[in-house]
């Protein structure tokens, strides 16, 4: 598990600028970002531990690091991944550069279609508590969709699978089968992003359909769950997080990326009662080598919102963060 406690308890630098009221993303900003992806044509490939390659490439930037130094860094656990070990075996005890990792593609990889959307829908006025947004405004949604070949195969056994896409309560794609999605708040002027949440409605719903013996097409749902989806349930959080980091880093050029901790996220998004699966906000970010910090996104620190100001002044408030060098800089 990746850990970096260096900044975890450094609360002495809590000097926050409470400038003008900061709103969330508006329609124009969303339209600008959504135009980044060619509609329906962006394919994302994932394979075991691709995230380790992605993180190390962007950590190294244009420079090189002694492998011995990497072994004592916060990224040290990534060196134990098989795909990274294979690269290190070729370099002995020398140095590692980003280009050394560029060719680490396996013979087979899983392909997904990426689409972008908004939350809430652009014809709906955002409400902070109802839509669980940190700032009053819209969120960008990155949708990780299963291949069209998969949906064609699914339709042959379960015709009504499309009912899932018409639910409207979560930001899934309307014409795709969304395996998982990430909701993101952005400030392009500051080069910051906050991953608000990740979720898989499809895994949740199919598990439910398969458990109801009297549900329509129950046996077909049970077969689909057992033979296909259940073996993949452990991997969807890793895949959507990898896709999200790839999109922010390589498509938008965002170098400072935050992710909610469990407790802070619940409070900021005004979630009452039971929260989301805790492992998504504890084990997952740690495995991706996020470090903890009390100093959250500047676009939240600069808000006059009283709740946000109180949250930043509380010593138990923590975010996860990655800060990567610019691509042309040395690590």
């Amino acid at each position: 598990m990746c850990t970096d406690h260096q900044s975890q308890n450094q609360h002495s630098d809590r000097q926050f600028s409470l400038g003008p009221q900061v709103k969330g993303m508006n329609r124009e900003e969303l339209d600008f970002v959504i135009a980044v992806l060619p509609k329906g044509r962006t394919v994302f490939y994932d394979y075991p531990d691709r995230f380790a390659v992605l993180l190390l490439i962007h950590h190294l930037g244009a420079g090189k690091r002694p492998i011995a130094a990497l072994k004592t860094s916060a990224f040290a656990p990534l060196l134990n991944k098989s795909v990274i070990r294979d690269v290190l075996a070729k370099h002995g005890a020398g140095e590692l550069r980003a280009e050394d990792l560029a060719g680490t593609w396996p013979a087979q990889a899983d392909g997904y279609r990426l689409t972008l959307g908004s939350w809430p829908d652009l014809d709906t006025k955002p409400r902070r508590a109802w839509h669980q947004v940190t700032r009053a405004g819209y969120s960008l949604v990155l949708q990780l969709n299963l291949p069209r070949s998969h949906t064609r195969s699914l339709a042959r056994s379960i015709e009504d699978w499309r009912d899932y896409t018409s639910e409207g309560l979560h930001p899934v794609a309307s014409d795709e089968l969304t395996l998982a999605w990430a909701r993101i708040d952005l400030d392009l002027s500051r080069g910051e992003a906050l991953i608000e949440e990740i979720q898989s409605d499809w895994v949740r719903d199919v598990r439910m359909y398969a458990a109801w013996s009297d549900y329509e097409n129950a046996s077909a749902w049970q077969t689909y769950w057992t033979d296909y989806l259940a073996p993949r349930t452990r991997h969807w959080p890793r895949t959507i997080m990898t896709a999200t980091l790839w999109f922010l880093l390589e498509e938008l050029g965002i170098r400072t990326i935050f992710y909610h901790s469990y407790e802070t996220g619940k409070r900021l998004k005004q979630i009452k009662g039971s929260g989301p699966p805790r492992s998504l906000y504890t084990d997952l970010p740690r495995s991706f080598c996020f470090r903890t910090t009390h100093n959250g996104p500047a676009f939240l620190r600069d808000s006059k919102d009283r709740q946000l100001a109180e949250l930043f002044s509380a010593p138990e408030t923590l975010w996860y963060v990655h800060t990567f060098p610019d691509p042309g800089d040395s690590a």
Side-chain angles (χ1 to χ4, degrees), residues 135-153:
R135 298 191 295 173
Y138 295 95
S139 296
L140 178 72
V141 180
L142 180 70
Q143 297 151 338
L144 182 81
N145 306 299
L146 291 165
R148 293 282 174 85
S149 58
H150 177 86
T151 59
R152 288 194 294 267
S153 175

Side-chain angles (χ1 to χ4, degrees), residues 128-129 132-134 265-272 307:
R128 281 184 59 186
Q132 296 182 0
V133 291
T134 300
K266 280 190 65 177
R267 183 175 174 186
L268 269 173
K269 292 180 284 186
Q270 303 179 51
I271 298 175
K272 308 298 182 182
Q307 182 194 32

Side-chain angles (χ1 to χ4, degrees), residues 83-155:
V83 65
I84 305 299
R85 287 203 310 267
D86 292 342
V87 174
L88 296 182
K90 301 175 183 178
H91 291 78
E95 297 174 322
L96 188 67
R97 298 171 298 179
E99 51 261 42
D100 298 327
L101 298 164
T104 55
W105 283 92
Q108 292 188 349
D110 294 324
Y112 301 89
R113 297 164 64 90
L114 296 182
T115 52
L116 293 173
S118 69
W119 178 253
D121 191 83
L122 289 178
D123 60 3
T124 302
K125 183 178 180 180
R127 290 183 290 164
R128 281 184 59 186
W130 176 258
H131 294 111
Q132 296 182 0
V133 291
T134 300
R135 298 191 295 173
Y138 295 95
S139 296
L140 178 72
V141 180
L142 180 70
Q143 297 151 338
L144 182 81
N145 306 299
L146 291 165
R148 293 282 174 85
S149 58
H150 177 86
T151 59
R152 288 194 294 267
S153 175
L154 178 63

Side-chain angles (χ1 to χ4, degrees), residues 145-183:
N145 306 299
L146 291 165
R148 293 282 174 85
S149 58
H150 177 86
T151 59
R152 288 194 294 267
S153 175
L154 178 63
R156 287 194 286 269
S157 59
I158 307 175
E159 293 183 0
D160 62 351
W161 73 265
R162 284 190 177 275
D163 292 346
Y164 157 78
T165 67
S166 62
E167 181 181 286
L169 297 177
H170 291 111
V172 299
S174 60
D175 57 350
E176 302 272 358
L177 176 47
T178 303
L179 173 63
W181 48 266
R183 187 163 60 79

